[in-house]
Amino acid sequence: DADVTQTPRNRITKTGKRIMLECSQTKGHDRMYWYRQDPGLGLRLIYYSFDVKDINKGEISDGYSVSRQAQAKFSLSLESAIPNQTALYFCATSDLQTSVNNEQFFGPGTRLTVL
Amino acid sequence: QKEVEQNSGPLSVPEGAIASLNCTYSDRVSQSFFWYRQYSGKSPELIMSIYSNGDKEDGRFTAQLNKASQYVSLLIRDSQPSDSATYLCAVNPDSGYALNFGKGTSLLVTP
């Protein structure tokens, strides 16, 4: 089984709808991240969490919210989706206990289309 | 803004040649550096990490780091068509923050 899983893998939704993307990991890592990737813009950090009680905004958090329900689960919500949130979304994990260098491991991604 | 710069490419090399991918970064206090490979539509996969000045070799891959010049590179020897992908450079400014990623260099290995 994959260490980092994301659901759904693909989603098409309409403008104004609320949508949640979920990430689960079995790596036992304490840190989790959400990125979006757009052609020509690279990976951009949306939110990150260093433990269950710690949530931090990344460079593009507007229009998004997150929830760290447990060490293994980190969800990303779009409260009212808009077309420019169409992108590939990745969850990633890292673990300060095993790697002070913050190596990150990525889930398979969710392709989101907002019509 | 902490910058990580890469040429977007595409970099085209013939099969069997050495591919050289370069990355510069702006934050002088950066401590660790990573190379990820990403196939189209797939997630980034960590292939190399380097923390000290000099070279680090792993199979056909060699990462090179020069902190004084704020430069990190990835060499791929005996390039194969399966190496065709986008290579992302990532920099960790310190252990208390997330990685900064470059936009990636597209590599095409032609048979």
Side-chain angles (χ1 to χ4, degrees):
Chain A
D1 288 341
D3 294 325
V4 185
T5 58
Q6 293 183 232
T7 56
R9 295 293 312 279
N10 289 283
R11 179 71 182 266
I12 300 174
T13 191
K14 294 182 179 180
T15 297
K17 295 292 187 181
R18 184 179 189 274
I19 184 168
M20 178 181 288
L21 309 182
E22 299 186 334
C23 177
S24 295
Q25 53 113 349
T26 58
K27 299 177 78 68
H29 286 179
D30 52 1
R31 298 178 169 190
M32 299 186 74
Y33 310 81
W34 276 105
Y35 292 90
R36 66 177 280 176
Q37 188 174 41
D38 301 90
L41 296 179
L43 282 165
R44 293 184 291 167
L45 182 65
I46 307 172
Y47 271 95
Y48 61 103
S49 170
F50 284 176
D51 65 41
V52 174
K53 297 179 181 179
D54 176 79
I55 301 290
N56 303 281
K57 294 182 177 180
E59 62 178 298
I60 55 162
S61 59
D62 287 348
Y64 302 95
S65 63
V66 291
S67 173
R68 184 83 183 266
Q69 301 97 321
Q71 186 192 37
K73 296 184 181 293
F74 193 35
S75 299
L76 176 71
S77 293
L78 287 67
E79 298 300 327
S80 180
I82 56 177
N84 75 1
Q85 292 177 312
T86 294
L88 190 53
Y89 289 83
F90 290 108
C91 174
T93 73
S94 68
D95 186 44
L96 186 61
Q97 301 303 316
T98 56
S99 173
V100 296
N101 297 297
N102 206 25
E103 297 166 329
Q104 292 186 16
F105 300 89
F106 285 79
T110 294
R111 184 169 297 281
L112 176 65
T113 302
V114 183
L115 301 176
Chain B
Q1 179 69 27
K2 300 173 183 176
E3 301 286 341
V4 179
E5 299 289 343
Q6 298 180 254
N7 287 326
S8 61
L11 172 65
S12 182
V13 299
E15 184 175 357
I18 296 175
S20 178
L21 305 165
N22 304 315
C23 172
T24 59
Y25 59 95
S26 64
D27 190 346
R28 185 170 292 278
V29 302
S30 297
Q31 295 298 314
S32 49
F33 308 85
F34 307 94
W35 284 99
Y36 287 81
R37 178 177 61 199
Q38 186 177 24
Y39 294 111
S40 181
K42 303 297 185 181
S43 61
E45 173 193 8
L46 181 64
I47 56 172
M48 287 291 288
S49 56
I50 187 166
Y51 315 119
S52 303
N53 280 328
D55 295 358
K56 179 182 178 182
E57 185 175 321
D58 183 0
R60 295 187 296 112
F61 298 102
T62 298
Q64 299 175 318
L65 175 62
N66 184 325
K67 290 186 178 180
S69 299
Q70 296 176 235
Y71 176 93
V72 58
S73 64
L74 178 70
L75 301 178
I76 306 175
R77 291 182 300 281
D78 188 25
S79 295
Q80 302 296 310
S82 59
D83 294 325
S84 298
T86 296
Y87 289 80
L88 305 174
C89 174
V91 174
N92 186 21
D94 60 61
S95 62
Y97 195 69
L99 298 180
N100 292 321
F101 283 86
K103 295 179 180 180
T105 298
S106 175
L107 173 66
L108 177 63
V109 181
T110 55

